Amino acid sequence: MLKRLRNGVVLRALPVLLYWILRLLFKTCRNRFYLAHSLKDTSFIASFWHGEIAMLPFAYLRLKRGSNLHVVASQHFDGSLAAKLYECFGFHAIRGSSKKGGVKVLIEGIKCLKAGADVGLTPDGPRGPYHSVADGVVALAQKTGIGVVVCRVIFENAFTFNTWDRFQLPKPFSKVHYYMLEPFFIPKDMELEQAKALVATRMGECG
C-alpha cells in the first residue's frame, strides 16, 4: 500500500519536474536541427535509442505541431514515468513492448499509422541490450509499408548516467544536434535478421 502510494506521488510529480528541467536545458543549449522537411506531410515510424529519449521531443515539435505522435512505453514503472513525460509534451502513449504486450502494441501502432498519426519506439527498449534492435520497428514497417525515420540526438557534452541505456542529458550551454532523416522502407519479404541489421545500420548513420 505504502509503495503504491509512493509510486503514485512520484508518477505525478517527477515527470512534470523533468519536463521543466528539459525545457530549461533546451533553452540554454545551442541546438542544431537536421530535419527532413518532407516528414511534415507524411505519417512515419520514428526509431530512436532509449538513452536519447529525453531531448527528442524538441526535434519532433520543431517539425510538427500538435499531438500526432504515439510513443510506445513499457508496462514497467519506468515506462509509466516515460508515458507521463510524453503527456507533458502533448504526445500519447501506447503501453507495452515487444516482450510484453507486443501484439497489443502492434495492433495499436498499425491503427495509429493508418489514421495518419506517427508512431515512435525504441529498438533497444525497454531493457536493452544497449543499441540492440528488437522486432517492433521491423514488424510495424513490414505490416504497414510505412517508412522508418531515424531520430537521433547527438550531444557534444553530456551527463551520461550509469544505466543500461547510457541515458544522456546535455550539459547547460553545450551544443546538441538533432536528426530526423528521410524515411527508409523495409520490404515485406525481407528476413527478420536482415531487416534488423538494416535498422541497426541506418541508426548508426549519424552517430
Side-chain angles (χ1 to χ4, degrees):
M1 177 67 178
L2 182 60
K3 182 180 180 182
R4 190 158 56 242
L5 178 63
R6 184 174 65 245
N7 286 350
V9 172
V10 171
L11 275 176
R12 284 193 299 271
L14 187 56
V16 177
L17 176 61
L18 182 56
Y19 169 76
W20 287 107
I21 289 172
L22 295 178
R23 288 283 302 268
L24 181 61
L25 286 173
F26 180 77
K27 290 289 187 183
T28 68
C29 286
R30 291 170 290 155
N31 302 292
R32 302 290 182 269
F33 294 91
Y34 309 91
L35 311 177
H37 291 286
S38 63
L39 301 176
K40 288 183 178 181
D41 304 314
T42 187
S43 178
F44 59 84
I45 299 165
S47 177
F48 45 92
W49 295 129
H50 202 276
E52 298 174 9
I53 61 174
M55 301 300 290
L56 226 126
F58 297 108
Y60 183 88
L61 291 173
R62 190 175 182 92
L63 189 70
K64 289 188 174 184
R65 297 296 176 186
S67 54
N68 207 33
L69 179 64
H70 297 250
V71 186
V72 176
S74 76
Q75 296 175 346
H76 300 103
F77 180 71
D78 55 354
S80 296
L81 287 174
K84 292 293 185 183
L85 178 61
Y86 299 149
E87 288 178 8
C88 292
F89 282 100
F91 304 151
H92 309 280
I94 300 174
R95 301 305 303 275
S97 67
S98 55
K99 292 183 179 179
K100 188 174 182 181
V103 174
K104 175 176 174 287
V105 167
L106 184 60
I107 292 171
E108 287 196 33
I110 291 171
K111 188 186 302 182
C112 292
L113 290 166
K114 286 186 175 180
D118 305 315
V119 172
L121 68 166
T122 55
D124 59 345
R127 298 294 172 91
Y130 174 75
H131 282 196
S132 60
V133 177
D135 301 351
V137 172
V138 174
L140 265 180
Q142 289 186 324
K143 292 287 185 183
T144 62
I146 288 175
V148 179
V149 173
V150 171
C151 304
R152 297 292 311 273
V153 183
I154 309 297
F155 305 100
E156 290 198 2
N157 196 4
F159 300 104
T160 302
F161 294 78
N162 188 27
T163 54
W164 72 262
D165 59 354
R166 302 177 198 174
F167 184 80
Q168 290 188 308
L169 287 175
K171 293 184 178 179
F173 310 106
S174 63
K175 188 177 288 187
V176 184
H177 302 270
Y178 300 83
Y179 297 87
M180 292 181 69
L181 306 183
E182 292 286 351
F184 68 94
F185 297 86
I186 302 177
K188 294 182 186 296
D189 59 350
M190 182 177 280
E191 293 291 332
L192 177 61
E193 292 307 314
Q194 186 181 358
K196 288 163 68 172
L198 173 63
V199 174
T201 298
R202 290 301 184 99
M203 291 295 292
E205 286 181 347
C206 52

